[in-house]
Amino acid sequence: MKLTVFGATGGIGQEIVRQALAAGHEVTAVVRDPARLPVTGTGLEVVRSDLTDPETVRPAVSGRDAVLSGLGARSRKDAGITARLTRTVLRAMEAEDTRRLLVVSAAPLGPAAPQDGPLDRTMHAVVSAVLKPVYDDLREMEAELACSTVEWTSVRPPRLQDKPLTGAYRTVVGGTPARGRFIGRADVAHAMLAMAQDASTVKQGVGVAY
């Protein structure tokens, strides 16, 4: 496939680029600072952009089979950046009639799993309260997706970890894995690449966790 990756210098973005290249895909990585992208390989094109203008992003998404975004706020002070940058990506994709988009969101935006007990529900509530500005940003992003014309998927992981790819994760289309408290960034990237060609995930939030 021909893929474009936004947020390619982040933890999930780097993994998407690395795994996509290993699978033989052609990858365009859109970054603000190319020096921060340590991934190299045949089939990789690196494009510099600060995502302020959809017109400058259009060449990077034109003719792509799928666009994958690891864009996201790194802390509460960055809240608002995800929706704003994703809006630029959406406008560029719509202008180029590029259809498929997968983004990283967060588990608290999905419904609680019916099987979760009091501990999981309490943890969910506490984290949602502490990170409310970040999650409000993600809710705004998901609202932008819902109003767009693209075939989007919002991937909703719980707490992220740095660990090697396992492939041993669960996904729930339209829901949240029961007692899904953690997942590695490499496995989120793996799930996103798999969903890129999965029609059942189009215009859906998908919970992913161990």
Side-chain angles (χ1 to χ4, degrees):
M1 290 190 294
K2 293 182 178 180
L3 307 175
T4 294
V5 181
F6 290 93
T9 58
I12 293 174
Q14 286 188 37
E15 283 293 337
I16 294 172
V17 174
R18 187 176 292 111
Q19 293 179 34
L21 291 173
H25 301 304
E26 296 180 26
V27 180
T28 297
V30 182
V31 299
R32 285 185 295 178
D33 181 5
R36 294 181 56 218
L37 180 63
V39 184
T40 60
T42 303
L44 174 63
E45 176 189 14
V46 181
V47 174
R48 184 197 299 268
S49 175
D50 59 7
L51 302 186
T52 57
D53 181 3
E55 288 299 313
T56 66
V57 180
R58 288 178 62 174
V61 301
S62 178
R64 300 294 155 169
D65 297 305
V67 174
L68 298 94
S69 172
L71 296 169
R74 297 174 184 268
S75 64
R76 298 204 315 170
K77 69 178 182 180
D78 294 329
I81 193 172
T82 312
R84 176 168 54 84
L85 298 183
T86 303
R87 191 177 300 118
T88 299
V89 174
L90 284 169
R91 299 295 87 81
M93 290 181 65
E94 289 172 334
E96 291 295 327
D97 197 29
T98 301
R99 306 301 304 158
R100 192 71 174 106
L101 173 65
L102 299 98
V103 304
V104 177
S105 186
L109 272 71
Q115 305 93 326
D116 280 353
L119 176 60
D120 290 285
R121 293 179 181 274
T122 299
M123 288 176 58
H124 180 99
V126 170
V127 171
S128 295
V130 171
L131 295 178
K132 184 178 185 300
V134 174
Y135 293 147
D136 285 347
D137 182 18
L138 292 174
R139 288 186 183 92
E140 183 179 349
M141 176 193 70
E142 292 203 1
E144 291 280 349
L145 295 177
C147 293
S148 74
T149 61
V150 306
E151 297 175 349
W152 57 269
T153 298
S154 179
V155 181
R156 298 167 174 165
R159 183 176 176 184
L160 296 168
Q161 299 178 325
D162 286 317
K163 61 187 302 181
L165 175 66
T166 70
Y169 54 82
R170 298 169 290 148
T171 60
V172 179
V173 177
T176 304
R179 293 174 293 280
R181 301 172 184 174
F182 305 96
I183 191 169
R185 290 175 174 83
D187 280 311
V188 176
H190 186 270
M192 292 178 72
L193 286 166
M195 291 179 205
Q197 300 182 83
D198 184 352
S200 71
T201 67
V202 171
K203 297 190 176 182
Q204 295 284 341
V206 181
V208 56
Y210 294 137

